[in-house]
Amino acid sequence: MDTTSELSSMVRLNIGGKKFCTTIDTLTNREPDSMLAAMFSGRHAMSNESKTGYVFIDRDGKHFRHILNWLRDGIAPTLSDPDCSELLREVDYYQLLGLKEILKASRRETGEVEAELTRVDIIKCIQSERVRFRGVNLSGIDLSKLDLSLVDFSYACLRNVFFSRTNLQLAKFRDADAGGSIFHNAILRECEFTGANLRGALLAGTSLQSANLQDACLVDCSFCGADLRSAHLQNADLTNANLEGANLEGANLKGAKLSNANFKGANLQRAYLRHVNLREAHLEGANLGGANMTGAIR
C-alpha cells in the first residue's frame, strides 16, 4: 500500500465547527459538477487552518454526514420533513444535483402536497406580460435561475422552493408562506415580503436593497453577506437569524425582534434602531456609525 499517496488524498474538513475526514475521490467522483468537487479538483487553492490542517467551510455541519454518506455510497437518508428541508438547503449550497433529485422524489412519495404547477408551466407563464401566482401552491419546485421579476406570489404556498440565483426584482410575496425556501444569491431588490413567513429560509448573498420585510417572520433565516441597504424590517421577527457580514446601511429595524440575532461584522451605518432591544443580539465587529439608537436597549 502506498501510504504517502493515501495520506495526500485525505481531506480534513471543518464544517461550521464539526470535523470530518474523507478523501478527494469521495468529494469529486459521484457529483463531479458540485461545488465540493470544484473545491478539491486541484484548480483552486485551499486555505487550511494553520495548526490543524482542516479546511474550514462556513456552513451548518449538522447534516454533512448525510452528504458524505451519499458521496461514498450513493445512499440518500430517510429524514423527517424539517430535517429534509435543512439538508436540502445544504445540498443546494454544495450543488449536489443528484442527491437533490432523490430527496425531492422521496418527499413526493411520502405524501408531501404536490405543487399545482411545474417549472415548465412557470416558464410558459412568464412569457406573458404580467404574471400572478396569488394563492397558488408551488411547494418544492425548482425555480432557480429564472427571470421572475414583477411576478406576484402573494398568499402563495412556496415552502422549500428553490429560488437560487433567480431574478425576483419587484416581485410580491405579501403573506406568502416561503418557509425553508432557498433564495441563495437571488435578486430581490424592492420586493414586498410584508407579513410573509420565511422561517428557516436561506437568503445568503441575496440583493434585498429597499425590500419591504415589515411584519415578516424571519426566524432562523440566513442573511449572511446579504445586501439589505435601506430595507424595511419594521416589526420583523429576526429571532436566531444570521446576518453575519450583511449590509444593513440605512435599514429600518424599528420594532424588530432581534433575540439571538447574529450581526457580527455587519454594516449597520445609519440604520434606524430606535427603541430596539439589542441586549441579546450579537454585534461583535458590527459598524454602527451614524445609527439612530435613541432608546435602544443594549
Side-chain angles (χ1 to χ4, degrees):
M1 181 182 293
D2 188 343
T3 306
T4 303
S5 174
E6 183 177 316
L7 289 172
S8 66
S9 69
M10 186 178 293
V11 178
R12 294 179 175 86
L13 299 172
N14 181 344
I15 312 296
K18 293 184 180 292
K19 295 183 177 180
F20 302 87
C21 288
T22 185
T23 65
I24 291 175
D25 285 347
T26 294
L27 296 171
T28 58
N29 285 352
R30 186 171 302 280
E31 298 260 18
D33 297 321
S34 70
M35 190 187 82
L36 287 170
M39 286 175 66
F40 295 96
S41 64
R43 300 193 301 269
H44 307 286
M46 303 300 300
S47 59
N48 293 355
E49 295 179 9
S50 56
K51 294 183 179 179
T52 63
Y54 282 85
V55 176
F56 179 74
I57 299 177
D58 189 14
R59 298 294 299 176
D60 189 344
K62 177 181 177 182
H63 298 296
F64 194 74
R65 65 185 181 90
H66 297 310
I67 289 172
L68 278 184
N69 287 337
W70 160 256
L71 293 174
R72 289 167 178 148
D73 306 319
I75 298 174
T78 301
L79 300 171
S80 65
D81 188 67
D83 283 344
C84 189
S85 296
E86 291 176 2
L87 178 57
L88 276 166
R89 287 202 294 274
E90 299 307 303
V91 165
D92 187 67
Y93 176 80
Y94 294 116
Q95 299 173 33
L96 299 164
L97 300 183
L99 179 55
K100 175 179 170 180
E101 289 304 313
I102 289 177
L103 290 173
K104 288 172 66 179
S106 175
R107 296 181 82 172
R108 287 193 292 269
E109 290 171 5
T110 54
E112 184 178 87
V113 178
E114 287 286 336
E116 297 175 62
L117 298 172
T118 66
R119 179 182 172 89
V120 173
D121 294 329
I122 301 295
I123 291 171
K124 289 178 180 177
C125 288
I126 61 178
Q127 293 172 355
S128 62
E129 264 186 45
R130 191 172 181 183
V131 185
R132 293 183 180 180
F133 296 111
R134 293 169 67 93
V136 177
N137 179 12
L138 301 175
S139 297
I141 67 174
D142 184 355
L143 298 178
S144 59
K145 302 178 182 178
L146 296 178
D147 184 356
L148 299 174
S149 54
L150 298 168
V151 173
D152 190 349
F153 292 102
S154 297
Y155 313 105
C157 183
L158 304 168
R159 296 186 68 82
N160 305 307
V161 172
F162 290 84
F163 285 113
S164 295
R165 300 178 178 84
T166 300
N167 180 8
L168 291 156
Q169 184 166 346
L170 290 166
K172 293 182 179 179
F173 294 87
R174 186 181 183 88
D175 292 311
D177 181 2
S181 288
I182 295 169
F183 293 89
H184 185 250
N185 287 335
I187 299 172
L188 295 160
R189 288 191 291 271
E190 300 179 78
C191 280
E192 182 184 356
F193 285 96
T194 307
N197 173 32
L198 289 160
R199 182 184 290 267
L202 176 63
L203 296 111
T206 52
S207 298
L208 281 153
Q209 300 100 306
S210 301
N212 188 348
L213 294 136
Q214 293 184 65
D215 301 305
C217 175
L218 306 174
V219 176
D220 296 323
C221 284
S222 173
F223 290 95
C224 291
D227 188 346
L228 287 146
R229 285 175 294 169
S230 301
H232 302 276
L233 292 153
Q234 297 95 309
N235 301 312
D237 190 347
L238 284 154
T239 302
N240 297 322
N242 188 357
L243 296 106
E244 185 167 355
N247 188 351
L248 292 113
E249 182 176 353
N252 189 341
L253 290 99
K254 180 181 179 181
K257 297 177 182 177
L258 305 179
S259 178
N260 202 38
N262 179 11
F263 290 96
K264 293 178 181 178
N267 180 10
L268 288 157
Q269 292 183 87
R270 293 181 289 281
Y272 191 92
L273 296 164
R274 291 191 65 177
H275 304 292
V276 172
N277 188 345
L278 297 169
R279 186 167 293 164
E280 296 179 357
H282 304 282
L283 294 161
E284 295 91 333
N287 186 345
L288 292 159
N292 186 337
M293 301 177 66
T294 304
I297 302 171
R298 297 188 69 182

